[in-house]
């Protein structure tokens, strides 16, 4: 199953149909800004500017360009799912009927606890990350909701025992 389609004119179009201009190259300062904002999405313009050694106006313009170019898609909170009552997490692989990605994607978006959905290559077609309150709820999600989707041919569930947030700076041990 291909991730891109050919449009009428022969150009490749991403699966969501977005025909945005090709991305502008990022320089080292842009990448530093992204790293800072991934670590702390609430960092002030002033703080970002100081840390990347540019003026506030330059930092502001760069962040707005990154937003306008679609590099930054938004700002959100990183949630500790266990503390938020979602103690069971799993990656679920799905094999789906060929050419049913868009239909399946919309049905997966509606699932409670769905956190990430990806069309992938390999032994399966879709990788789904879900967070549920407990294993019983996870079992019901897989057996009654996922397997009831007609385009889903099979599933495999991989329980997550521990997660590491790579966008968060490592904790410093106190001596």
């Amino acid at each position: 199953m291909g991730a891109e389609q050919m449009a009428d004119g022969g150009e490749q179009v991403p699966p969501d149909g977005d025909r945005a201009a090709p991305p502008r190259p990022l320089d080292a300062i842009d990448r530093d800004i992204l790293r800072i904002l991934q670590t702390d999405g609430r960092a002030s313009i002033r703080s970002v500017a100081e840390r990347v050694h540019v003026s506030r106006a330059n930092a502001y313009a760069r962040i707005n360009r990154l937003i306008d170019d679609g590099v930054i898609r938004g700002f959100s909170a990183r949630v500790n799912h266990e503390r938020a009552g979602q103690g069971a997490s799993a990656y679920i692989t799905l094999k789906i009927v060929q050419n049913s990605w868009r239909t399946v994607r919309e049905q997966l978006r509606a699932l409670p606890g769905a956190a990430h959905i990806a069309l992938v290559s390999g032994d399966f077609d879709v990788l789904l990350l879900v967070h549920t309150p407990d294993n019983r709820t996870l079992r019901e999600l897989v057996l009654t909701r996922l397997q009831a989707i007609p385009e889903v041919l099979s599933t495999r569930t991989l329980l997550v025992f521990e997660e590491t947030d790579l966008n968060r700076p490592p904790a410093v041990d106190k001596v």
Side-chain angles (χ1 to χ4, degrees), residues 97-120:
V97 172
Q98 189 168 0
N99 297 322
S100 64
W101 163 241
R102 286 182 179 85
T103 302
V104 171
R105 178 182 60 196
E106 294 313 309
Q107 293 177 70
L108 296 177
R109 280 183 173 165
L111 289 176
H116 184 84
I117 306 165
L119 177 65
V120 297

Side-chain angles (χ1 to χ4, degrees), residues 22-86:
R24 290 185 253 192
L26 303 180
D27 64 16
I29 294 172
D30 290 332
R31 287 189 295 277
D32 286 344
I33 289 171
L34 290 174
R35 183 183 43 76
I36 291 166
L37 293 176
Q38 284 177 310
T39 302
D40 180 8
R42 295 177 55 177
S44 69
I45 298 287
R46 180 176 165 228
S47 169
V48 170
E50 287 173 358
R51 291 168 63 186
V52 299
H53 310 290
V54 297
S55 69
R56 284 187 299 225
N58 187 311
Y60 182 81
R62 284 174 177 269
I63 292 169
N64 279 339
R65 180 178 48 81
L66 291 167
I67 292 168
D68 291 344
D69 286 354
V71 175
I72 296 175
R73 296 181 300 174
F75 298 88
S76 62
R78 289 190 311 268
V79 175
N80 179 322
H81 296 285
E82 192 169 343
R83 292 187 59 90
Q86 302 290 306

